């Protein structure tokens, strides 16, 4: 009976802690915290799951970084194109204003007798 208790206690420690760490990692990711989890060296499927989970987290972090870079690039392109459009509008308005000022003076001074 004592041996069964010792084996049971050992099994609970051997499996309980690594599984608890995995659960904490999953909960952390669910809450939006993409940080690697602590993986127990169990040399079994539980360790493999932990390492796979950490690899997934690393890939998510890399994807988010790439998305941020693309977003920043797009925002810069939008800013630049908006500036170009505003400059083109100012140029067009200035040309229109110059035309509006030129036509009345041309009608009076450019008219043929």
């Amino acid at each position: 009976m004592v041996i069964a208790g010792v084996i049971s206690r050992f099994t609970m420690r051997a499996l309980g802690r690594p599984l608890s760490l995995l659960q904490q990692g999953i909960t952390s990711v669910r809450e939006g915290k993409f940080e690697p989890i602590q993986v127990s060296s169990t040399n079994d499927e539980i360790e493999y799951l932990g390492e796979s989970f950490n690899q997934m987290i690393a890939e998510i972090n890399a994807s988010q970084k790439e998305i941020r870079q693309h977003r920043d690039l797009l925002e810069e392109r939008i800013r630049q194109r908006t500036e170009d459009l505003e400059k083109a509008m100012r140029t067009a308005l200035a040309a229109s204003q110059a035309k509006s000022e030129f036509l009345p003076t041309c009608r009076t001074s450019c008219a043929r007798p």
Side-chain angles (χ1 to χ4, degrees), residues 14-55:
L15 293 177
R17 178 166 161 62
L19 289 174
S20 175
L21 291 173
L22 281 174
Q23 180 194 14
Q24 290 171 5
I26 290 168
T27 301
S28 178
V29 167
R30 189 180 321 131
E31 293 171 353
K33 301 172 190 165
F34 297 104
E35 299 172 2
I37 62 170
Q38 181 182 355
V39 178
S40 296
S41 296
T42 55
N43 296 320
D44 61 7
E45 291 82 5
I46 296 173
E47 182 179 357
Y48 176 76
L49 281 173
E51 293 297 333
S52 296
F53 194 77
N54 281 339
Q55 184 177 3

Side-chain angles (χ1 to χ4, degrees), residues 58-109:
E59 290 173 9
I60 290 171
N61 284 331
S63 293
Q64 286 183 338
K65 181 180 178 184
E66 188 175 336
I67 289 169
R68 279 191 300 273
Q69 289 173 341
H70 284 291
R71 185 193 64 221
D72 292 345
L73 178 63
L74 287 173
E75 287 176 356
E76 177 58 27
R77 284 182 180 172
I78 290 169
R79 188 193 60 75
Q80 182 62 45
R81 288 182 180 172
T82 301
E83 286 179 11
D84 292 346
L85 181 59
E86 288 172 351
K87 183 179 176 184
M89 265 182 42
R90 284 191 300 272
T91 301
L93 287 172
S96 178
Q97 181 66 30
K99 179 181 172 186
S100 296
E101 292 173 3
F102 173 75
L103 285 178
T105 56
C106 182
R107 284 187 186 141
T108 57
S109 63

